[in-house]
Amino acid sequence: MSDGRNKGFTMIQFCTRCLKIGIISDTASNCTVGGCEQTCTDLKDGGYVCHSIRGFRISPNNPKICNDIDECAEFTHNCSQLCTNLNGTHACSCREGFVAEINGVCRLEQGAITLIYSDSPEIRAFNLTSHTAKYVIKGDNIESLDYEPVSGIVYWTDSYGKTIKRSYLPGSPERANVTMGYAQNLDIESHAKPTGMAVDWAGLNLYWSETDRTGNKPRGSILVSTLDGRYRHSIITTGLEVPTSVVVDPDHGYMFWIDIGSIPKIETSWMDGSKRRILVSDAISQPTGLSIDFTMEHTIYWVDVKLNKIEMMREDGTRRTLVAYGNYLKHPLSLDVFESSIYWVTRDSGEIYSMDKFGRGVPVKLPGEFANPSSIKVYCMQTSGTTPAV
């Protein structure tokens, strides 16, 4: 029986399936007296079977009744931002600052969209409108990055110096006339190698993961400090081996991270490290990148570089859905999500690709020359105000 997952609808309940679950009536010979709520089919040997039309499914409690399918709750819609369930269907809408296009796609109403990515010892910016790239920050061995949207300050992990650095992003509100940024060391050197990086723009805190390989077994941890590096302390220190990515959701107070140690998994906790639990531990091999789609009900996306997969789920771990799978992804290393697209960098070819965030269509390679991109973020500053869209 088709569950209609691709379109979010159950079209029909087939007779062979209906017989197994006992929907066939022995008391009526045809649909005239059948009492089906929507549609009905007579059977050659007597009796009848009820069907549901698009947007409904047969009730498990009464085979004559059809229940509405809530595409929004079941995560079977293709709305890039807001989904509203209706009787037999659903409607898509956009958040403030975005306008609706066809097929549930929301586009930024005003402003420029820029991809910020690490490329060997530098941070570059790629303008998605003009398709031009430029060097914006000089760094050293940049592994991961994030930014504080209001000030436009970019933070990154320096894997060689085992520290964290920051710089204003040229062209940001605080540095509109600056063409090149320069690194400031936050002086939080450690024996462990910093890996993932996330900025809490609400609490103005910095979260990062690191791995200490000085012993027989790697030991991972997650730490937090203020944005200037003060008041540093660990919040996750046990049961963690090789963390590769960390993201935070200040709106909901959650933190998420990946561990690719002996038991690969995706975990979550409150932002203080409490209420920790595992979200994903099956059918993953080497997940390396996480991202949160804040405009689409805080959906979690991740990439698995070994399995060549991009997947998504709700923040509570439910409704896990395969977005894309195959060699054409070229081993995605990290990703970010904005509007109706996902962007990722490839491990082997050193390229940047984009694709519809529901997996529709084919990946599109962004133009330009890339040396060795390893981390990517979408930066957007709306021209209608000073608050960036995140």
Side-chain angles (χ1 to χ4, degrees), residues 227-262:
L227 291 180
D228 57 7
R230 294 180 299 160
Y231 310 114
R232 167 188 173 183
H233 64 279
S234 301
I235 54 176
I236 300 290
T237 58
T238 61
L240 192 58
E241 296 180 23
V242 188
T244 59
S245 180
V246 58
V247 294
V248 294
D249 182 350
D251 291 340
H252 293 169
Y254 295 133
M255 173 174 63
F256 304 86
W257 66 92
I258 289 175
D259 183 4
I260 59 169
S262 56

mmCIF file of all heavy atoms in Angstrom, residues 227-262:
data_model
loop_
_atom_site.group_PDB
_atom_site.id
_atom_site.type_symbol
_atom_site.label_atom_id
_atom_site.label_comp_id
_atom_site.label_asym_id
_atom_site.label_seq_id
_atom_site.Cartn_x
_atom_site.Cartn_y
_atom_site.Cartn_z
ATOM 1 N N LEU A 227 31.731 35.735 24.224
ATOM 2 C CA LEU A 227 32.246 35.933 22.875
ATOM 3 C C LEU A 227 33.673 36.462 22.841
ATOM 4 O O LEU A 227 34.349 36.357 21.805
ATOM 5 C CB LEU A 227 31.328 36.888 22.098
ATOM 6 C CG LEU A 227 29.944 36.340 21.733
ATOM 7 C CD1 LEU A 227 29.133 37.382 20.979
ATOM 8 C CD2 LEU A 227 30.046 35.056 20.926
ATOM 9 N N ASP A 228 34.156 37.022 23.950
ATOM 10 C CA ASP A 228 35.545 37.470 23.981
ATOM 11 C C ASP A 228 36.471 36.439 24.605
ATOM 12 O O ASP A 228 37.645 36.717 24.870
ATOM 13 C CB ASP A 228 35.664 38.809 24.721
ATOM 14 C CG ASP A 228 35.119 38.733 26.139
ATOM 15 O OD1 ASP A 228 34.777 37.624 26.598
ATOM 16 O OD2 ASP A 228 35.036 39.798 26.798
ATOM 17 N N GLY A 229 35.967 35.243 24.865
ATOM 18 C CA GLY A 229 36.801 34.163 25.376
ATOM 19 C C GLY A 229 36.858 34.046 26.883
ATOM 20 O O GLY A 229 37.509 33.134 27.407
ATOM 21 N N ARG A 230 36.184 34.917 27.608
ATOM 22 C CA ARG A 230 36.233 34.858 29.073
ATOM 23 C C ARG A 230 35.246 33.827 29.621
ATOM 24 O O ARG A 230 34.326 33.427 28.948
ATOM 25 C CB ARG A 230 35.916 36.236 29.666
ATOM 26 C CG ARG A 230 36.952 37.315 29.353
ATOM 27 C CD ARG A 230 36.547 38.625 29.993
ATOM 28 N NE ARG A 230 35.259 39.088 29.483
ATOM 29 C CZ ARG A 230 34.492 39.977 30.114
ATOM 30 N NH1 ARG A 230 34.881 40.477 31.291
ATOM 31 N NH2 ARG A 230 33.353 40.357 29.578
ATOM 32 N N TYR A 231 35.489 33.463 30.878
ATOM 33 C CA TYR A 231 34.609 32.553 31.623
ATOM 34 C C TYR A 231 34.439 31.202 30.909
ATOM 35 O O TYR A 231 33.363 30.615 30.888
ATOM 36 C CB TYR A 231 33.240 33.192 31.874
ATOM 37 C CG TYR A 231 33.341 34.574 32.457
ATOM 38 C CD1 TYR A 231 32.909 35.688 31.730
ATOM 39 C CD2 TYR A 231 33.894 34.782 33.725
ATOM 40 C CE1 TYR A 231 33.010 36.960 32.257
ATOM 41 C CE2 TYR A 231 33.992 36.054 34.257
ATOM 42 C CZ TYR A 231 33.550 37.145 33.526
ATOM 43 O OH TYR A 231 33.658 38.408 34.051
ATOM 44 N N ARG A 232 35.522 30.729 30.378
ATOM 45 C CA ARG A 232 35.506 29.448 29.675
ATOM 46 C C ARG A 232 35.304 28.299 30.663
ATOM 47 O O ARG A 232 35.944 28.239 31.712
ATOM 48 C CB ARG A 232 36.830 29.272 28.939
ATOM 49 C CG ARG A 232 37.083 27.877 28.422
ATOM 50 C CD ARG A 232 38.501 27.768 27.898
ATOM 51 N NE ARG A 232 38.841 26.406 27.546
ATOM 52 C CZ ARG A 232 40.045 26.039 27.113
ATOM 53 N NH1 ARG A 232 41.005 26.946 26.987
ATOM 54 N NH2 ARG A 232 40.290 24.774 26.820
ATOM 55 N N HIS A 233 34.416 27.365 30.312
ATOM 56 C CA HIS A 233 34.247 26.163 31.110
ATOM 57 C C HIS A 233 33.619 25.058 30.264
ATOM 58 O O HIS A 233 32.961 25.325 29.250
ATOM 59 C CB HIS A 233 33.399 26.431 32.362
ATOM 60 C CG HIS A 233 31.990 26.845 32.068
ATOM 61 N ND1 HIS A 233 31.649 28.145 31.734
ATOM 62 C CD2 HIS A 233 30.828 26.134 32.053
ATOM 63 C CE1 HIS A 233 30.348 28.221 31.528
ATOM 64 N NE2 HIS A 233 29.824 27.022 31.708
ATOM 65 N N SER A 234 33.828 23.816 30.669
ATOM 66 C CA SER A 234 33.324 22.652 29.949
ATOM 67 C C SER A 234 31.909 22.331 30.408
ATOM 68 O O SER A 234 31.597 22.420 31.596
ATOM 69 C CB SER A 234 34.231 21.443 30.175
ATOM 70 O OG SER A 234 35.558 21.705 29.744
ATOM 71 N N ILE A 235 31.069 21.935 29.459
ATOM 72 C CA ILE A 235 29.697 21.554 29.821
ATOM 73 C C ILE A 235 29.395 20.100 29.455
ATOM 74 O O ILE A 235 28.477 19.507 30.003
ATOM 75 C CB ILE A 235 28.663 22.496 29.172
ATOM 76 C CG1 ILE A 235 28.871 22.581 27.660
ATOM 77 C CG2 ILE A 235 28.713 23.872 29.809
ATOM 78 C CD1 ILE A 235 27.815 23.427 26.954
ATOM 79 N N ILE A 236 30.161 19.509 28.523
ATOM 80 C CA ILE A 236 30.062 18.083 28.210
ATOM 81 C C ILE A 236 31.478 17.511 28.243
ATOM 82 O O ILE A 236 32.340 17.932 27.469
ATOM 83 C CB ILE A 236 29.431 17.817 26.825
ATOM 84 C CG1 ILE A 236 28.022 18.386 26.734
ATOM 85 C CG2 ILE A 236 29.435 16.323 26.517
ATOM 86 C CD1 ILE A 236 26.992 17.670 27.574
ATOM 87 N N THR A 237 31.739 16.557 29.133
ATOM 88 C CA THR A 237 33.094 16.020 29.285
ATOM 89 C C THR A 237 33.144 14.496 29.275
ATOM 90 O O THR A 237 34.235 13.920 29.228
ATOM 91 C CB THR A 237 33.728 16.515 30.589
ATOM 92 O OG1 THR A 237 32.902 16.126 31.703
ATOM 93 C CG2 THR A 237 33.891 18.027 30.583
ATOM 94 N N THR A 238 32.023 13.820 29.345
ATOM 95 C CA THR A 238 32.007 12.359 29.406
ATOM 96 C C THR A 238 31.213 11.781 28.237
ATOM 97 O O THR A 238 30.340 12.440 27.674
ATOM 98 C CB THR A 238 31.371 11.870 30.719
ATOM 99 O OG1 THR A 238 30.014 12.337 30.798
ATOM 100 C CG2 THR A 238 32.151 12.386 31.918
ATOM 101 N N GLY A 239 31.540 10.533 27.874
ATOM 102 C CA GLY A 239 30.805 9.854 26.818
ATOM 103 C C GLY A 239 30.947 10.497 25.463
ATOM 104 O O GLY A 239 30.071 10.350 24.606
ATOM 105 N N LEU A 240 32.053 11.200 25.239
ATOM 106 C CA LEU A 240 32.278 11.921 23.981
ATOM 107 C C LEU A 240 33.706 11.645 23.530
ATOM 108 O O LEU A 240 34.650 11.808 24.305
ATOM 109 C CB LEU A 240 32.050 13.421 24.185
ATOM 110 C CG LEU A 240 31.950 14.320 22.956
ATOM 111 C CD1 LEU A 240 30.827 13.886 22.040
ATOM 112 C CD2 LEU A 240 31.755 15.773 23.384
ATOM 113 N N GLU A 241 33.863 11.224 22.275
ATOM 114 C CA GLU A 241 35.185 10.862 21.766
ATOM 115 C C GLU A 241 35.701 11.838 20.711
ATOM 116 O O GLU A 241 36.690 12.518 20.905
ATOM 117 C CB GLU A 241 35.154 9.439 21.204
ATOM 118 C CG GLU A 241 34.852 8.367 22.245
ATOM 119 C CD GLU A 241 34.822 6.979 21.642
ATOM 120 O OE1 GLU A 241 35.430 6.775 20.569
ATOM 121 O OE2 GLU A 241 34.164 6.094 22.231
ATOM 122 N N VAL A 242 35.020 11.881 19.562
ATOM 123 C CA VAL A 242 35.498 12.710 18.451
ATOM 124 C C VAL A 242 34.360 13.588 17.945
ATOM 125 O O VAL A 242 33.726 13.287 16.923
ATOM 126 C CB VAL A 242 36.054 11.837 17.303
ATOM 127 C CG1 VAL A 242 36.736 12.722 16.243
ATOM 128 C CG2 VAL A 242 37.028 10.798 17.824
ATOM 129 N N PRO A 243 34.044 14.667 18.624
ATOM 130 C CA PRO A 243 32.987 15.563 18.134
ATOM 131 C C PRO A 243 33.452 16.302 16.890
ATOM 132 O O PRO A 243 34.601 16.754 16.814
ATOM 133 C CB PRO A 243 32.764 16.520 19.308
ATOM 134 C CG PRO A 243 34.076 16.516 20.043
ATOM 135 C CD PRO A 243 34.632 15.132 19.891
ATOM 136 N N THR A 244 32.557 16.412 15.898
ATOM 137 C CA THR A 244 32.932 17.069 14.640
ATOM 138 C C THR A 244 32.142 18.330 14.354
ATOM 139 O O THR A 244 32.572 19.156 13.549
ATOM 140 C CB THR A 244 32.734 16.104 13.459
ATOM 141 O OG1 THR A 244 31.350 15.694 13.419
ATOM 142 C CG2 THR A 244 33.622 14.877 13.593
ATOM 143 N N SER A 245 30.992 18.483 14.968
ATOM 144 C CA SER A 245 30.157 19.647 14.674
ATOM 145 C C SER A 245 29.265 19.936 15.864
ATOM 146 O O SER A 245 28.814 19.015 16.546
ATOM 147 C CB SER A 245 29.308 19.395 13.425
ATOM 148 O OG SER A 245 28.491 20.508 13.114
ATOM 149 N N VAL A 246 29.008 21.211 16.115
ATOM 150 C CA VAL A 246 28.092 21.619 17.176
ATOM 151 C C VAL A 246 27.278 22.805 16.686
ATOM 152 O O VAL A 246 27.807 23.699 16.010
ATOM 153 C CB VAL A 246 28.855 21.969 18.483
ATOM 154 C CG1 VAL A 246 29.859 23.075 18.249
ATOM 155 C CG2 VAL A 246 27.884 22.344 19.597
ATOM 156 N N VAL A 247 25.965 22.792 16.976
ATOM 157 C CA VAL A 247 25.090 23.917 16.647
ATOM 158 C C VAL A 247 24.209 24.201 17.856
ATOM 159 O O VAL A 247 23.973 23.316 18.684
ATOM 160 C CB VAL A 247 24.203 23.637 15.404
ATOM 161 C CG1 VAL A 247 25.053 23.508 14.152
ATOM 162 C CG2 VAL A 247 23.360 22.387 15.597
ATOM 163 N N VAL A 248 23.740 25.427 17.961
ATOM 164 C CA VAL A 248 22.879 25.803 19.080
ATOM 165 C C VAL A 248 21.602 26.444 18.556
ATOM 166 O O VAL A 248 21.587 27.061 17.485
ATOM 167 C CB VAL A 248 23.595 26.772 20.049
ATOM 168 C CG1 VAL A 248 24.748 26.088 20.736
ATOM 169 C CG2 VAL A 248 24.063 28.039 19.331
ATOM 170 N N ASP A 249 20.530 26.284 19.331
ATOM 171 C CA ASP A 249 19.237 26.897 19.031
ATOM 172 C C ASP A 249 18.861 27.781 20.222
ATOM 173 O O ASP A 249 18.195 27.330 21.152
ATOM 174 C CB ASP A 249 18.178 25.826 18.799
ATOM 175 C CG ASP A 249 16.824 26.419 18.425
ATOM 176 O OD1 ASP A 249 16.660 27.650 18.523
ATOM 177 O OD2 ASP A 249 15.920 25.646 18.041
ATOM 178 N N PRO A 250 19.287 29.032 20.222
ATOM 179 C CA PRO A 250 18.977 29.917 21.356
ATOM 180 C C PRO A 250 17.482 30.147 21.551
ATOM 181 O O PRO A 250 17.039 30.403 22.671
ATOM 182 C CB PRO A 250 19.700 31.221 20.983
ATOM 183 C CG PRO A 250 20.755 30.818 20.005
ATOM 184 C CD PRO A 250 20.153 29.687 19.235
ATOM 185 N N ASP A 251 16.696 30.068 20.474
ATOM 186 C CA ASP A 251 15.255 30.263 20.597
ATOM 187 C C ASP A 251 14.622 29.217 21.500
ATOM 188 O O ASP A 251 13.748 29.524 22.311
ATOM 189 C CB ASP A 251 14.591 30.217 19.222
ATOM 190 C CG ASP A 251 14.946 31.413 18.364
ATOM 191 O OD1 ASP A 251 15.366 32.436 18.925
ATOM 192 O OD2 ASP A 251 14.807 31.317 17.133
ATOM 193 N N HIS A 252 15.049 27.980 21.369
ATOM 194 C CA HIS A 252 14.474 26.875 22.134
ATOM 195 C C HIS A 252 15.362 26.408 23.283
ATOM 196 O O HIS A 252 14.943 25.561 24.075
ATOM 197 C CB HIS A 252 14.175 25.702 21.211
ATOM 198 C CG HIS A 252 13.085 25.977 20.227
ATOM 199 N ND1 HIS A 252 12.797 25.133 19.162
ATOM 200 C CD2 HIS A 252 12.189 27.002 20.133
ATOM 201 C CE1 HIS A 252 11.790 25.634 18.462
ATOM 202 N NE2 HIS A 252 11.408 26.764 19.025
ATOM 203 N N GLY A 253 16.587 26.908 23.334
ATOM 204 C CA GLY A 253 17.480 26.549 24.436
ATOM 205 C C GLY A 253 18.152 25.199 24.285
ATOM 206 O O GLY A 253 18.549 24.593 25.280
ATOM 207 N N TYR A 254 18.329 24.717 23.044
ATOM 208 C CA TYR A 254 18.931 23.412 22.806
ATOM 209 C C TYR A 254 20.311 23.530 22.165
ATOM 210 O O TYR A 254 20.618 24.510 21.479
ATOM 211 C CB TYR A 254 18.052 22.557 21.879
ATOM 212 C CG TYR A 254 16.725 22.177 22.457
ATOM 213 C CD1 TYR A 254 15.545 22.322 21.715
ATOM 214 C CD2 TYR A 254 16.618 21.653 23.741
ATOM 215 C CE1 TYR A 254 14.316 21.962 22.228
ATOM 216 C CE2 TYR A 254 15.389 21.288 24.267
ATOM 217 C CZ TYR A 254 14.241 21.453 23.513
ATOM 218 O OH TYR A 254 13.023 21.094 24.030
ATOM 219 N N MET A 255 21.106 22.503 22.375
ATOM 220 C CA MET A 255 22.395 22.347 21.721
ATOM 221 C C MET A 255 22.435 20.967 21.077
ATOM 222 O O MET A 255 21.898 19.999 21.622
ATOM 223 C CB MET A 255 23.518 22.488 22.753
ATOM 224 C CG MET A 255 24.908 22.197 22.254
ATOM 225 S SD MET A 255 26.169 22.557 23.506
ATOM 226 C CE MET A 255 25.704 21.374 24.793
ATOM 227 N N PHE A 256 23.071 20.865 19.905
ATOM 228 C CA PHE A 256 23.179 19.601 19.183
ATOM 229 C C PHE A 256 24.627 19.404 18.761
ATOM 230 O O PHE A 256 25.318 20.365 18.420
ATOM 231 C CB PHE A 256 22.287 19.605 17.936
ATOM 232 C CG PHE A 256 20.837 19.905 18.215
ATOM 233 C CD1 PHE A 256 20.390 21.224 18.277
ATOM 234 C CD2 PHE A 256 19.924 18.888 18.421
ATOM 235 C CE1 PHE A 256 19.060 21.513 18.543
ATOM 236 C CE2 PHE A 256 18.596 19.168 18.684
ATOM 237 C CZ PHE A 256 18.161 20.474 18.746
ATOM 238 N N TRP A 257 25.077 18.145 18.767
ATOM 239 C CA TRP A 257 26.443 17.880 18.337
ATOM 240 C C TRP A 257 26.553 16.475 17.756
ATOM 241 O O TRP A 257 25.710 15.612 17.970
ATOM 242 C CB TRP A 257 27.440 18.075 19.472
ATOM 243 C CG TRP A 257 27.299 17.089 20.601
ATOM 244 C CD1 TRP A 257 27.930 15.888 20.757
ATOM 245 C CD2 TRP A 257 26.456 17.243 21.760
ATOM 246 N NE1 TRP A 257 27.539 15.283 21.923
ATOM 247 C CE2 TRP A 257 26.641 16.087 22.561
ATOM 248 C CE3 TRP A 257 25.566 18.238 22.194
ATOM 249 C CZ2 TRP A 257 25.964 15.912 23.771
ATOM 250 C CZ3 TRP A 257 24.890 18.046 23.391
ATOM 251 C CH2 TRP A 257 25.093 16.903 24.166
ATOM 252 N N ILE A 258 27.647 16.267 17.019
ATOM 253 C CA ILE A 258 27.952 14.986 16.378
ATOM 254 C C ILE A 258 29.190 14.395 17.029
ATOM 255 O O ILE A 258 30.151 15.106 17.330
ATOM 256 C CB ILE A 258 28.195 15.175 14.868
ATOM 257 C CG1 ILE A 258 26.890 15.504 14.145
ATOM 258 C CG2 ILE A 258 28.821 13.934 14.244
ATOM 259 C CD1 ILE A 258 27.079 15.828 12.671
ATOM 260 N N ASP A 259 29.171 13.091 17.215
ATOM 261 C CA ASP A 259 30.333 12.346 17.701
ATOM 262 C C ASP A 259 30.595 11.213 16.724
ATOM 263 O O ASP A 259 29.725 10.372 16.494
ATOM 264 C CB ASP A 259 30.065 11.799 19.104
ATOM 265 C CG ASP A 259 31.277 11.077 19.699
ATOM 266 O OD1 ASP A 259 32.349 11.073 19.048
ATOM 267 O OD2 ASP A 259 31.156 10.519 20.802
ATOM 268 N N ILE A 260 31.784 11.170 16.104
ATOM 269 C CA ILE A 260 32.121 10.103 15.152
ATOM 270 C C ILE A 260 33.128 9.144 15.773
ATOM 271 O O ILE A 260 33.967 8.580 15.076
ATOM 272 C CB ILE A 260 32.642 10.659 13.815
ATOM 273 C CG1 ILE A 260 33.895 11.507 14.024
ATOM 274 C CG2 ILE A 260 31.567 11.451 13.103
ATOM 275 C CD1 ILE A 260 34.600 11.848 12.710
ATOM 276 N N GLY A 261 33.051 8.937 17.067
ATOM 277 C CA GLY A 261 33.929 7.999 17.750
ATOM 278 C C GLY A 261 33.565 6.558 17.454
ATOM 279 O O GLY A 261 33.065 6.228 16.374
ATOM 280 N N SER A 262 33.793 5.676 18.407
ATOM 281 C CA SER A 262 33.538 4.249 18.198
ATOM 282 C C SER A 262 32.067 3.962 17.941
ATOM 283 O O SER A 262 31.725 2.993 17.261
ATOM 284 C CB SER A 262 34.022 3.454 19.417
ATOM 285 O OG SER A 262 33.401 3.927 20.610
#
